[in-house]
């Protein structure tokens, strides 16, 4: 009888070292500290290198995940990041903000019986290694084509399109309405989740490749799409995001101390109001904060309020925990930092003092009924269950709609009933010749990686058009 | 870009005029539209309605009162220096059309914004009666330009140091009694616009006002500038800045303008100290 070889000891998923929750809840430093080389290699060793990798199916931009993990395992981090670059120009961003648990990691075979490979953490690791220690070698560029492309909006989809097309030899100019590039990566996602220095470094790489970035340009106001064509652009990509805040439409919403999440986060992140008065933009520092909504933006708002010195921060959400749309890591981080959750609760009106400053919000308890069109169980108010929450700051994070500024000035772009641009889901082509659109302005508010996926498809289509015509 | 080509102190140094190089904006801007300016890296985004534009020279002109740190910082910029960022033209332009007799009422620095609108109203063929006011003679701005831009000019000072002794609304009442006024455009401090609207409401004369709520992006993205108009929430940056004055909730606007009063004085004190 032969003896069975000893079973190889299973390596557990390597936890990401993090700032202690009680310390980090009062600072704006990044929460995850990052893998060490040793941790990264150890985690990479867990990958089974599947022949038919289902993780890739879960990735909206089809990164060769086993491929880059194999390079990490061998300690060749430079090669690993270049493998990712073939499909994704912004790995330092995606490693931090992608909802991996419903994408790549959600499909990882190891996840069936245990914990999936920490693909997001590994992606972040190689991107950070490259930024901090890389040789700065840029990917090769094709010969100049003489074609010019205008990219409207410098968020994730715009940056993806710009990165793809510059490598294919086209001239690319990005137009950004704000005074800094990055779109939602800069105005929306907080420093503690995505340091702005990383976004600027990614934009800087594009500039080194030859992409021009024109800030302070509101396309639709400063210049129209047709004028861009007159200026000699051959193709235009519109990726302006879903920049129109939704409010709750309940009484008292214009009291002082009530912010849309867009305003609250833009003041904090883009304008650096958390450094007031060193920076000039002010922001209310609430002691008793209520945030409405349960997506990533709500978590970001709640955690920002905690960092700005709040005694209590409560998330109010009309459905239950199972329906919360935020990444699980963000919910977990928020809980660790002491954010409280008032689930199955909906606001009905805001109350203020004689100076119109917010003092309370009145809420109703809800129960779950039958599933609605989104497949989630519909919340139903419980009559007579009104109660008040004391608060001096409220942030409304219940989503964003389509900003009409550009579409209003471009009559021959087709928009749907919600104001989003109608574009071919496979190519991003709009009905206006030479114009593509993608990201939130087409799909409505979604994730960074989906916007990048749309950008990738559009850039392929734009490249084809520049070579062969419409 | 955004270099200051001309700079002028007005109204005893409480108001400053800057002519700024901004060719793209100058080419596009129409009366009633605004720009957002940021002086430097740490600066705040400040919306100001343009007082003039010169597409040939590629310049825009802003006239602002020093009310806090950001405007004091703007004031400190000299000819040859630059604003780090200027964004525009933003907002909807004034609807200028031929109606008959139009009254343009301005107070304080609102007169600066009113000037191109007054000129436009006259150029298109209206009989334009302008009424401008200030606390006293020294604080009055653009009297000559308003005289040239209108058919009739009335000047008021609160203390009687110049022109009519009293408020612009006193003169406005007389004009509304005597003339068949088709439209009133009122731009100035919120209380002034509120009182003008309560006068014109009695005479049932349509009145446009230009609102100046606190803003951040100026492109409809944040909702900071929301105002109640006709019971509905509107964004002054993309739906305005001009609205039907009879529908505006001025009291709410005045309250919302006080949102950062405390922080504003902290920042201003610190600036003056440094």
């Amino acid at each position: 009888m032969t003896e069975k070889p000893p079973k190889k000891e299973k390596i557990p998923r390597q936890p990401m070292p993090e700032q202690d929750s009680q310390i980090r809840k009062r600072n704006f430093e990044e929460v995850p500290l990052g893998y060490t080389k040793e941790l990264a290699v150890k985690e990479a060793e867990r990958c089974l290198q599947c022949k038919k990798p289902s993780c890739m199916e879960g990735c909206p931009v089809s990164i060769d995940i086993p491929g880059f993990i194999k390079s990490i395992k061998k300690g060749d981090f430079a090669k690993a990041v270049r493998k990712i670059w073939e499909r994704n120009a912004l790995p330092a961003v995606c490693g931090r903000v992608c909802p991996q648990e419903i994408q790549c990691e959600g499909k990882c075979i190891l996840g069936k019986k245990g914990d999936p490979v920490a693909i997001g953490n590994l992606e972040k690791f190689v991107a950070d290694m490259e930024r901090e220690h890389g040789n700065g070698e840029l990917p090769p560029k094709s010969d100049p084509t003489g074609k010019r492309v205008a990219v409207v909006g410098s968020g994730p989809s715009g940056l993806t399109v710009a990165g793809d097309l510059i490598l294919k030899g086209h001239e690319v100019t990005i137009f950004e309405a704000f005074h800094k590039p990055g779109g939602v990566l800069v105005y929306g996602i907080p420093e503690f989740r995505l340091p702005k220095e990383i976004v600027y470094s990614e934009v800087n790489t594009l500039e080194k490749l030859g992409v021009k970035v024109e800030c302070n340009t509101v396309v639709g106001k400063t210049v129209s799409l047709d004028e861009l064509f007159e200026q000699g652009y051959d193709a235009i990509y519109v990726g302006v995001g879903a920049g129109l805040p939704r409010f709750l439409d309940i009484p008292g919403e214009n009291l002082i101390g009530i912010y849309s999440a867009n305003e609250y986060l833009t003041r904090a992140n883009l304008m650096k109001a958390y450094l007031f008065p060193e920076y000039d933009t002010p922001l209310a520092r609430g002691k008793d904060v209520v945030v409405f909504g349960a997506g990533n933006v709500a978590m970001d708002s709640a955690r920002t309020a905690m960092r700005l010195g709040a005694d209590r921060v409560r998330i109010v959400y009309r459905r239950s925990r199972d329906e919360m749309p935020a990444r699980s890591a963000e919910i977990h981080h928020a809980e660790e930092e002491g954010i409280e959750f008032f689930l199955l609760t909906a606001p009905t009106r805001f109350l203020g003092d004689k100076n119109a400053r917010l003092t309370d919000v009145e809420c109703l308890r809800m129960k779950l009924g039958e599933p609605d069109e989104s497949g989630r169980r519909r919340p139903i108010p419980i009559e007579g269950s009104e109660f008040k929450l004391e608060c001096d700051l409220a942030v409304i994070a219940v989503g964003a709609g389509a900003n009409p500024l550009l579409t209003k000035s471009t009559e021959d772009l087709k928009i749907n009933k919600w104001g989003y641009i109608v574009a071919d889901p496979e190519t991003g082509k709009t009905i206006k010749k030479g114009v593509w659109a993608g990201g939130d302005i087409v799909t409505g508010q979604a994730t960074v990686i989906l916007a990048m996926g749309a950008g990738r498809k559009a850039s392929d289509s734009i490249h084809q058009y520049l070579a062969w015509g419409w | 870009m955004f270099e200051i080509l001309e700079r002028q102190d007005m109204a005893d140094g409480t108001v400053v005029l800057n002519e700024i190089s901004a060719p793209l904006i100058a080419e596009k801007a129409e009366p009633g539209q605004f720009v957002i300016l940021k002086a430097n890296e740490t600066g705040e985004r400040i919306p100001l309605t343009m007082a003039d534009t010169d597409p040939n020279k590629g310049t825009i002109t802003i006239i602002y009162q020093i009310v806090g740190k950001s405007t004091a910082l703007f004031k400190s910029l000299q000819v040859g220096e630059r604003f780090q960022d200027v964004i525009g033209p933003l907002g909807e332009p004034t609807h200028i059309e031929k109606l008959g007799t139009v009254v343009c009422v301005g107070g304080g620095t609102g007169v600066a914004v009113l000037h191109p609108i007054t000129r436009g109203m006259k150029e298109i063929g209206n009989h334009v009666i302008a009424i401008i006011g200030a606390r006293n003679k020294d604080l009055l701005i653009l009297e000559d330009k308003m005289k040239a831009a209108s058919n009739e000019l009335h000047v008021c000072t609160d203390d009687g140091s110049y022109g009519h002794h009293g408020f612009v609304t006193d003169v406005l009442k007389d004009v509304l009694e005597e003339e068949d006024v088709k439209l009133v455009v009122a731009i100035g401090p919120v209380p002034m616009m509120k009182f003008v609207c309560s006068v014109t409401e009695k005479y049932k004369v349509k009145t446009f006002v230009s609102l100046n709520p606190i803003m951040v992006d100026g492109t409809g993205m944040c909702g900071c500038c929301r105002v109640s108009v006709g019971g509905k929430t509107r964004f002054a940056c993309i739906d305005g800045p001009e609205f039907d004055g009879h529908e505006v909730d001025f009291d709410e606007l005045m309250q919302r303008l006080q949102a950062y009063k405390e922080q504003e004085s902290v920042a201003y004190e610190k600036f003056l100290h440094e």
Side-chain angles (χ1 to χ4, degrees), chain A residues 180 227 259-260 262 280, chain B residues 28 41 69 221-222 260:
Chain A
K180 286 209 158 100
E227 285 164 336
Y259 290 85
S260 74
N262 268 1
D280 295 343
Chain B
K28 275 297 181 72
E41 186 57 32
K69 153 130 195 216
M221 199 212 77
C222 82
Y260 298 103

Side-chain angles (χ1 to χ4, degrees), chain A residues 193-223:
Chain A
R193 201 145 80 78
L194 177 62
K196 297 313 133 209
E197 176 212 329
I198 289 170
V199 182
Y200 297 138
S201 152
E202 305 274 23
V203 174
N204 194 250
T205 305
L206 292 180
E207 286 181 307
K208 280 189 198 147
L209 283 165
V211 173
K212 288 193 204 98
V213 181
E214 299 278 358
C215 288
N216 297 326
T217 310
V218 186
V219 175
K221 285 286 182 186
T222 317
V223 65

Side-chain angles (χ1 to χ4, degrees), chain B residues 209-259:
Chain B
V209 292
S210 180
L211 305 184
N212 59 336
I214 302 172
M215 286 186 190
V216 183
D217 64 293
T219 60
M221 199 212 77
C222 82
C224 173
C225 66
R226 57 197 193 272
V227 287
S228 294
V229 181
K232 287 201 181 96
T233 294
R234 308 287 298 275
F235 292 178
C237 67
I238 49 170
D239 301 324
E242 286 183 17
F243 292 101
D244 180 341
H246 296 153
E247 301 215 306
V248 171
D249 185 340
F250 288 106
D251 295 332
E252 182 188 275
L253 174 63
M254 273 187 266
Q255 284 167 332
R256 285 186 64 81
L257 282 166
Q258 302 296 311

Side-chain angles (χ1 to χ4, degrees), chain A residues 177-180 187 216 218 221-224 227 243-245 247 253-256 258-260 262-263 266-267 271 276-284 354 356-357 403 405 408, chain B residues 2 24 28 33 38 41-45 69 73 85-92 214 216-217 219-224 226 228 233 235 238 252 255-256 258-260 263 267 270:
Chain A
F178 268 128
H179 54 275
K180 286 209 158 100
Y187 76 72
N216 297 326
V218 186
K221 285 286 182 186
T222 317
V223 65
S224 69
E227 285 164 336
L244 188 77
F247 284 91
E253 203 157 21
N254 293 347
L255 290 166
I256 297 168
I258 303 174
Y259 290 85
S260 74
N262 268 1
E263 181 188 354
T266 300
R267 282 179 179 271
M271 305 310 295
F276 179 89
E278 194 189 320
Y279 278 70
D280 295 343
T281 303
L283 182 61
K354 64 181 191 326
R357 289 186 186 262
N403 188 311
L405 210 138
K408 234 169 91 180
Chain B
F2 314 138
L24 291 177
K28 275 297 181 72
Q33 289 190 297
K38 188 166 157 288
E41 186 57 32
T42 55
E44 200 180 354
R45 291 168 68 99
K69 153 130 195 216
L73 183 63
D85 303 288
V86 182
I87 302 106
L90 300 169
E92 292 295 316
I214 302 172
V216 183
D217 64 293
T219 60
M221 199 212 77
C222 82
C224 173
R226 57 197 193 272
S228 294
T233 294
F235 292 178
I238 49 170
E252 182 188 275
Q255 284 167 332
R256 285 186 64 81
Q258 302 296 311
Y260 298 103
Q263 288 100 320
K270 187 169 168 272

Side-chain angles (χ1 to χ4, degrees), chain A residues 363-411:
Chain A
C363 299
L364 262 183
R365 299 262 183 228
M366 315 291 272
K367 60 182 178 197
L368 289 180
E370 293 301 309
D372 60 16
E373 61 273 19
S374 71
R376 300 180 297 179
R377 293 179 65 190
R378 186 191 302 275
I380 302 166
I382 302 173
E383 257 180 73
S385 66
E386 287 91 347
F387 67 103
K388 277 192 209 164
L389 288 176
E390 243 180 74
C391 54
D392 57 355
L393 176 70
V395 182
I396 298 160
V398 295
N403 188 311
L405 210 138
L406 185 135
T407 48
K408 234 169 91 180
S409 76
T410 319
E411 278 163 11

Side-chain angles (χ1 to χ4, degrees), chain A residues 16-36:
Chain A
M16 171 62 87
E18 284 173 352
Q19 261 201 84
D20 180 82
S21 61
Q22 293 315 299
I23 295 168
R24 74 176 190 236
K25 72 185 222 185
R26 296 301 190 199
N27 71 44
F28 279 82
E29 311 282 313
E30 195 176 5
V31 171
L33 301 170
Y35 276 166
T36 57

